Amino acid sequence: MAVIEMTTFTVAPENTQAMLDARPDMVEAFRTDRRGFLSARLVRVGENRWLDFVEWTDDAAWDESTAKGANLPAIVAFFATIDTLVGAERGVRYDDVQDGARRVRTVAYGPEPSQVGELYLPDGDGPFPVVTVVHGGYWAAIWDRRQITDVVDDLVARGYAVWNIEYRRIGEPGGGWPGTFLDVAAAVDALDGMDPALDLNRVVILGHSAGGHLATWAAHRGVLPLEAPGAHPTITPIGLVELAGALDLRTADATDFGVALADPDAEPPKNAPEPARPEAWAVVAEAVGEGIVKLLLGGHVAEQPERYAWTSPLELAGTGVPVLAIHGTADEAVPAEWSRRYVEKVKADGGTARYVEVEGGTHFDVVDPSHPVWPTVTDWIHEAFANHK
């Protein structure tokens, strides 16, 4: 699978040759200037009507290219030959496996649109240790995995394979209980047999915010009751990196965590990503009046105590997976106390855990590869892999 941009346009007959002449330089400009550009195919579908079929590695690459627009002379020259823009659509290609090995490919682990992820491979032959990345966003379909692409790119550059997963979220069919949890479990286990270049004995799982909660829950799958969704893992991580995670679902429910989503015009946290699916906001806003955790688990604590016991990291049994937890003292979205208390619990259960509090750090500072705390993350991952050769 790959992201496909399909643009239909017309060219006046007197400009057709100029368009064809400008095409090679435009494609070369895309190749050198656009992250994640794979290919472009020009198809004539009528006398004056053309289809441009452009393939990208992921949605983040498509977004970045769209934002750049006609930023180079060669691109401007090509666009100048176009008469009218008829339409533009985004799609997902499902048959790119026939193209052979790729450094980035989107892999479906289920039939639903959100049951996918991007597998990124570094240069070389492998086998590569793997970092599974789980994005956040209040478990809501408003945001998706493209928000954490900077983290992905940084980790790949360090020689790791990265599996950046999507999952069904609140505001789309199947999101919430139990679909969100089943998807994360299935996505992690999908690494088994995905690619011979992966070292499945060295998998670290990393998550941020709501994704920090899901990554932490995934690290505990091996100690879940047999009847709990997500039990019986195929892949067990050797380490967990939890970044500003929402780890206390009981308190989150009691404090109406996420009720801010009821107001789409509310001030977002500093450096928050733009909504990937703004149309989902209205669906979430209408239902979030009693907090987002009620929507995630299908009820409050008093109504669904078992579900909270199975999914809130502060209530889960010790798992033995080493933990790095990082949280900013100025986090606008998730209290740092939740990460601190989780680390204390892990240690009390006999596990290995380190808690790093970033003085003045905001919610998104901890997933910024340019922030001074980021080397703490990468050094810890490096050590975790080095200890499991």
Side-chain angles (χ1 to χ4, degrees):
M1 296 169 63
V3 174
I4 305 298
E5 177 185 4
M6 295 165 285
T7 305
T8 307
F9 58 89
T10 63
V11 177
E14 62 271 21
N15 292 328
T16 299
Q17 189 58 53
M19 183 270 290
L20 295 173
D21 291 343
R23 179 73 177 184
D25 288 343
M26 186 275 287
V27 172
E28 183 58 29
F30 267 53
R31 199 176 305 283
T32 58
D33 183 62
R34 302 298 208 257
R35 171 198 172 275
F37 172 78
L38 293 176
S39 65
R41 295 173 174 83
L42 185 63
V43 180
R44 192 171 200 162
V45 293
E47 183 178 354
N48 301 325
R49 194 180 181 97
W50 300 79
L51 171 64
D52 207 352
F53 186 93
V54 182
E55 193 166 0
W56 304 94
T57 57
D58 53 35
D59 274 311
W62 178 51
D63 286 345
E64 292 167 15
S65 177
T66 301
K68 283 186 174 182
N71 64 322
L72 296 175
I75 301 174
V76 173
F78 177 80
F79 285 175
T81 67
I82 294 174
D83 187 23
T84 58
L85 177 65
V86 178
E89 292 184 282
R90 169 208 173 273
V92 178
R93 183 182 173 200
Y94 274 71
D95 65 349
D96 61 347
V97 68
Q98 69 186 16
D99 296 344
R102 286 187 169 189
R103 288 300 174 190
V104 184
R105 58 190 174 99
T106 305
V107 180
Y109 62 85
E112 300 301 326
S114 289
Q115 291 174 330
V116 298
E118 270 81 46
L119 176 65
Y120 298 77
L121 298 178
D123 292 334
D125 297 326
F128 305 110
V130 184
V131 182
T132 297
V133 174
V134 190
H135 74 85
Y138 284 111
W139 306 279
I142 302 166
W143 297 278
D144 68 10
R145 65 194 182 282
R146 74 189 76 180
Q147 66 175 280
I148 206 161
T149 307
D150 287 348
V151 165
V152 171
D153 289 345
D154 182 272
L155 294 172
V156 174
R158 296 175 188 275
Y160 308 132
V162 178
W163 174 225
N164 186 20
I165 69 169
E166 195 56 85
Y167 49 93
R168 287 174 294 174
R169 305 171 307 289
I170 298 164
E172 66 178 312
W177 182 265
T180 294
F181 297 90
L182 291 173
D183 283 4
V184 171
V188 173
D189 287 348
L191 285 169
D192 187 24
M194 183 179 293
D195 195 295
L198 304 181
D199 182 353
L200 299 183
N201 292 315
R202 294 193 292 165
V203 177
V204 164
I205 189 164
L206 176 152
H208 173 243
S209 192
H213 159 260
L214 292 169
T216 304
W217 170 82
H220 283 264
R221 289 173 57 208
V223 296
L224 290 175
L226 298 181
E227 67 273 23
H232 316 285
T234 301
I235 299 292
T236 299
I238 64 164
L240 163 67
V241 179
E242 179 271 301
L243 305 173
L247 304 186
D248 186 350
L249 297 190
R250 183 179 293 270
T251 300
D253 178 56
T255 56
D256 294 339
F257 179 74
V259 75
L261 296 179
D263 180 9
D265 297 322
E267 183 71 20
K270 181 182 177 183
N271 296 325
E274 292 294 320
R277 293 176 56 188
E279 70 277 8
W281 204 312
V283 177
V284 175
E286 185 177 356
V288 80
E290 296 181 43
I292 196 74
V293 181
K294 178 188 176 184
L295 303 181
L296 177 67
L297 296 181
H300 294 298
V301 174
E303 299 164 332
Q304 300 290 352
E306 189 173 61
R307 295 180 185 179
Y308 282 78
W310 287 349
T311 59
S312 183
L314 278 167
E315 300 186 35
L316 295 174
T319 185
V321 176
V323 176
L324 172 67
I326 299 181
H327 220 121
T329 60
D331 192 309
E332 315 94 319
V334 180
E337 176 192 0
W338 295 354
S339 289
R340 187 186 312 115
R341 287 171 49 216
Y342 175 71
V343 166
E344 291 170 353
K345 181 183 184 302
V346 171
K347 291 180 176 179
D349 290 339
T352 301
R354 179 186 177 193
Y355 175 64
V356 176
E357 196 160 84
V358 184
E359 186 62 37
T362 62
H363 190 60
F364 288 96
D365 281 345
V366 297
V367 284
D368 179 359
S370 68
H371 192 276
V373 78
W374 187 246
T376 303
V377 175
T378 56
D379 289 350
W380 191 92
I381 293 174
H382 174 80
E383 184 176 349
F385 287 142
N387 290 337
H388 285 80
K389 286 187 177 179

